[in-house]
Amino acid sequence: MSIFEYNGSALIAMVGKNCFAIASDRRLGVQLQTIATDFQRIYQIHDRLFIGLSGLATDAQTLYQRLVFRHKLYQLREERDMKPETFASLVSAILYEKRFGPYFCQPVIAGLGDEDKPFICTMDSIGAKELAKDFVVAGTSSESLYGACEAMFKPDMEPEDLFETVSQALLSSVDRDCLSGWGGHVYVVTPTEVKEQILKGRMD
Amino acid sequence: MECVFGLVGDGFAIIASDTSAVHSILVHKSNEDKVMILDSHKLMGASGEPGDRVQFTEYIQKNVALYQFRNGIPLTTAAAANFTRGELATALRKNPYFVNIILAGHDKDTEPSLYFIDYIATLHKVDKAAFGYGSYFALSIMDRHYHRGMSLEDAINLVDKCITEIRSRLVVAPPNFVIKIVDKNGAREYAWREFIKDAATGLPTT
């Protein structure tokens, strides 16, 4: 089994009309054994920026701690929050630093940039950025996620529609993957609020 | 094969572990205590490479004590868990420790907590956890019978159910187990479940 599939994960970020949604599954496993069904993969960096980390859980936790550290330092120096594009470049640089001994993580970054324009991107484990205008996915069920998102996505969805779309895409994809699932965790972020919701899916 | 498991009850947390020290086909001793009392209100059950287990848990124990000496107050359970994870994570890509850890603690005026820490430094706060081949049985029994806020009597019955299942279904089942508990009064040994006494003590096997 690949090291990226050791813990199991699923992540989606999707763009809507002046909003974005980022969603993950909730399973923490050790190969085929499930350890917990409430594992958090999506972290809030500041009130308009979220990062989801798929792949090896220990590296996701280490990477998150490093990123929070760097962002707090940035906040102290610049006296403002980081823009999503800047943060994506930071994550890319931190990952490439470990080019010949990488973190086994695939981040999914989603944020609201200038003029509340939603920004999403993903990158591989050595920091190759992949910007997208519609959706990005990561995790053990990424192929299923690509298919589900491609089929269900429509441009300029309102937050309620976006939430439905992301939830259905996530749940239907993880149901075909034994390493991810056990519910879902969705954040829908608009310029004014962040709505967090837990999804109940097939618990197996 | 080594088994460590633990669960959180109503105002307490329990860690149980087998007590065999095994080297290939030889059982060196069957009363090896693998649940370390980290400080007055913390327990650390560890399983894995024997040398790493002893060295790493003692290292954590001494660092937890050092913090208390330096700062005058004890570490919280969450802080101790994160410190442990940090040490494992730092060593992971240099000289990894092959130790799986279940850390239980009861901080002053709060609830008890249990942390699952993998040998590759995956940290997660949980209600029940288990490591080793015994985990296949212990986790399933706990999934069936565990609920939040169990009384001590119920929790010990559940632990005994797990031990019985491990003993009866695991091919090289460890015969003896130790159960330790941590609650607001502190961390202490609760009971031993012995099937076979050591030859050195001169007592007959049952």
Side-chain angles (χ1 to χ4, degrees), chain B residues 130-183:
Chain B
F131 281 113
Y133 284 122
S135 69
Y136 293 117
F137 310 105
L139 280 175
S140 300
I141 300 278
M142 290 197 282
D143 282 342
R144 171 69 183 83
H145 294 293
Y146 176 86
H147 56 87
R148 287 249 177 93
M150 287 178 91
S151 69
L152 182 58
E153 199 192 321
D154 286 343
I156 294 295
N157 281 339
L158 178 53
V159 167
D160 281 328
K161 276 202 181 75
C162 295
I163 291 173
T164 308
E165 196 66 17
I166 292 169
R167 275 190 187 145
S168 56
R169 290 297 186 182
L170 190 55
V171 63
V172 260
N176 300 341
F177 284 78
V178 64
I179 304 173
K180 294 200 180 171
I181 187 172
V182 60
D183 60 18

Side-chain angles (χ1 to χ4, degrees), chain A residues 5 11 22-23 38 47 51 56-57 71 84 87-88 95 98 110 112 115-116 157 160 162 168 175 186 192 198 200 202:
Chain A
E5 294 165 5
L11 278 171
I22 183 165
D38 57 358
D47 42 52
I51 180 166
L56 196 62
H71 184 255
F87 185 71
L95 289 173
K98 304 278 185 194
L112 287 174
E115 280 127 44
D116 298 336
M157 280 185 279
E160 295 77 25
L162 185 63
Q168 292 299 336
D175 283 348
V186 188
T192 47
I198 306 281
K200 189 154 172 74
R202 278 185 65 110

Side-chain angles (χ1 to χ4, degrees), chain B residues 76-128:
Chain B
T76 58
T77 313
N82 276 290
F83 172 70
T84 307
R85 186 206 105 81
E87 291 303 307
L88 285 168
T90 312
L92 181 63
R93 283 173 155 90
K94 294 180 184 139
N95 192 6
Y97 296 106
F98 290 102
V99 199
N100 296 310
I101 282 162
I102 298 179
L103 199 147
H106 193 299
D107 302 324
K108 210 161 136 60
D109 301 329
T110 53
E111 295 177 326
S113 46
L114 193 72
Y115 289 88
F116 164 100
I117 308 171
D118 212 339
Y119 75 98
I120 49 171
T122 310
L123 170 70
H124 195 54
K125 185 169 181 301
V126 290
D127 285 333
K128 53 188 182 323

Side-chain angles (χ1 to χ4, degrees), chain A residues 12-196:
Chain A
I12 307 181
M14 206 180 261
V15 166
K17 196 178 171 76
N18 292 330
C19 64
F20 68 85
I22 183 165
S24 77
D25 73 324
R26 305 191 79 204
R27 179 181 178 270
L28 174 71
V30 169
Q31 300 196 305
L32 293 178
Q33 190 178 57
T34 300
I35 301 298
T37 56
D38 57 358
F39 189 67
Q40 194 187 8
R41 279 201 173 83
I42 298 174
Y43 300 101
Q44 186 166 20
I45 302 293
H46 62 75
D47 42 52
R48 293 147 66 94
L49 179 58
F50 285 76
I51 180 166
L53 291 162
S54 72
L56 196 62
T58 176
D59 282 350
Q61 288 175 332
T62 303
L63 194 56
Y64 164 66
Q65 287 174 346
R66 286 191 68 187
L67 291 170
V68 158
F69 168 70
R70 293 295 300 264
H71 184 255
K72 282 187 175 172
L73 214 54
Y74 184 94
Q75 274 178 325
L76 284 170
R77 288 178 176 146
E78 300 265 331
E79 293 178 355
R80 63 181 178 89
D81 291 331
M82 239 190 223
K83 281 191 230 167
E85 296 84 355
T86 317
F87 185 71
S89 295
L90 173 67
V91 178
S92 175
I94 286 180
L95 289 173
Y96 197 78
E97 256 177 11
K98 304 278 185 194
R99 171 61 178 83
F100 299 107
Y103 290 118
F104 298 109
C105 285
Q106 246 188 302
V108 161
I109 296 162
L112 287 174
D114 290 332
E115 280 127 44
D116 298 336
K117 191 163 179 299
F119 169 87
I120 53 169
C121 88
T122 185
M123 52 193 82
D124 67 5
S125 58
I126 48 173
K129 258 186 289 185
E130 185 67 55
L131 305 171
K133 293 196 167 62
D134 41 14
F135 56 84
V136 289
V137 301
T140 47
S141 41
S142 56
E143 286 102 345
S144 290
L145 286 164
Y146 273 123
C149 288
E150 197 68 72
M152 299 185 198
F153 178 78
K154 292 189 305 289
D156 288 327
M157 280 185 279
E158 294 296 327
E160 295 77 25
D161 264 338
L162 185 63
F163 169 74
E164 278 306 320
T165 308
V166 159
S167 306
Q168 292 299 336
L170 180 72
L171 290 177
S172 60
S173 306
V174 303
D175 283 348
R176 282 288 185 180
D177 177 22
C178 56
L179 297 174
S180 53
W182 283 94
H185 203 151
V186 188
Y187 292 85
V188 179
V189 182
T190 58
T192 47
E193 59 161 358
V194 172
K195 265 219 315 230
E196 181 184 340

Side-chain angles (χ1 to χ4, degrees), chain B residues 22-36:
Chain B
V22 169
H23 194 134
S24 175
I25 57 166
L26 179 69
V27 178
H28 280 302
K29 62 192 291 221
S30 39
N31 59 354
E32 167 85 357
D33 188 354
K34 297 176 193 169
V35 185
M36 168 167 279

Side-chain angles (χ1 to χ4, degrees), chain B residues 57-73:
Chain B
T57 54
E58 277 184 9
Y59 173 67
I60 299 295
Q61 187 188 52
K62 300 321 170 196
N63 273 281
V64 166
L66 183 63
Y67 182 94
Q68 181 152 9
F69 284 135
R70 279 184 176 154
N71 298 288
I73 53 164

